[in-house]
Amino acid sequence: MNSNYENGKKLFQETDGAGIQAVIHALSDVSPHISRYIIEFFGQVFNNPVLTYQQREMIVISALTSLGDTPNQLKWHMNFGLKVGITPNEIIEIATHCIPFCGAPRALNAITVAKQLFAEQNIEVNIEDELLHSVGERRERGIAKLQEIDGKHGEAVADSLAEIAPVLAEQIIEFAFGEIYSRSGLNPKQRQLVTLGALTAQGGCEPQLHVHLNASIRVGLTRQEVIEALLQCYPYTGFPKVLNAINVAKKIFLT
């Protein structure tokens, strides 16, 4: 076997030996080659220290949440995320963060998957509605957060909607930034990694990726980390969506 396979086996032995054995067993009679692909992929990408195990699984959970039709795989990765250090509260926050990018129904489906996983493992999660008593400050908070995260790119998006869809512009400011981005459950770098995973999985979001790739650099992610985040998505979203995302990054970073 090649080194990626051996690295993948070692990773699973250290973190989730029983989980990967269940996957291998389920595929052994009809497609043993796919279990090898899975192990090789983990051995390749997780061996790259540019992103931590936790960061990689945050990206995967957001991508699968955004896809919306992979509950079994989402549950597996939520469980793997717990094993590599993501907290239950962070899993719920990842799903919450995806609402502006993939919609509430897919985020709710992801939270349902998480609730099932937590119930099976007797994990209690108590998340407060921390902004409940400051709803009246949404707009001011949103403008400040938009400036912090997106700078002039975010303002340009809001300004471009002012004449034709001012309500949408206000929702971007008040909800996406005044609520979602203002929650404390994830730090700015984590939120941008989650955003990149969600937008890449959606596909057809190249203008929004342009804004959020710039935002990722603005909050402190390196170019190498950003590219690695996009590459993390290809086994889950397919090559075309990741190629499109990489092309957006290429225009930003190489021009």
Side-chain angles (χ1 to χ4, degrees), residues 149-150 153 209-219 252:
I149 301 298
D150 283 345
H153 299 283
L209 265 172
H210 190 281
V211 170
H212 283 283
L213 286 167
N214 278 303
S216 297
I217 300 299
R218 187 178 177 88
V219 302
I252 295 171

Side-chain angles (χ1 to χ4, degrees), residues 5 20 23-24 27 31-40:
Y5 185 86
I20 194 59
V23 172
I24 292 171
L27 295 171
S31 50
H33 53 295
I34 294 181
S35 64
R36 174 170 59 83
Y37 299 160
I38 292 170
I39 294 171
E40 286 180 352

Side-chain angles (χ1 to χ4, degrees), residues 155-204:
E155 291 179 23
V157 171
D159 290 344
S160 71
L161 296 168
E163 291 187 10
I164 191 167
V167 173
L168 181 58
E170 286 302 304
Q171 282 296 301
I172 290 172
I173 292 169
E174 293 188 14
F175 180 69
F177 288 91
E179 278 284 335
I180 300 300
Y181 265 91
S182 295
R183 292 174 57 80
S184 63
L186 298 172
N187 65 43
K189 288 184 180 181
Q190 290 171 328
R191 288 194 181 277
Q192 283 311 118
L193 290 173
V194 169
T195 300
L196 295 181
L199 290 175
T200 300
Q202 281 288 293

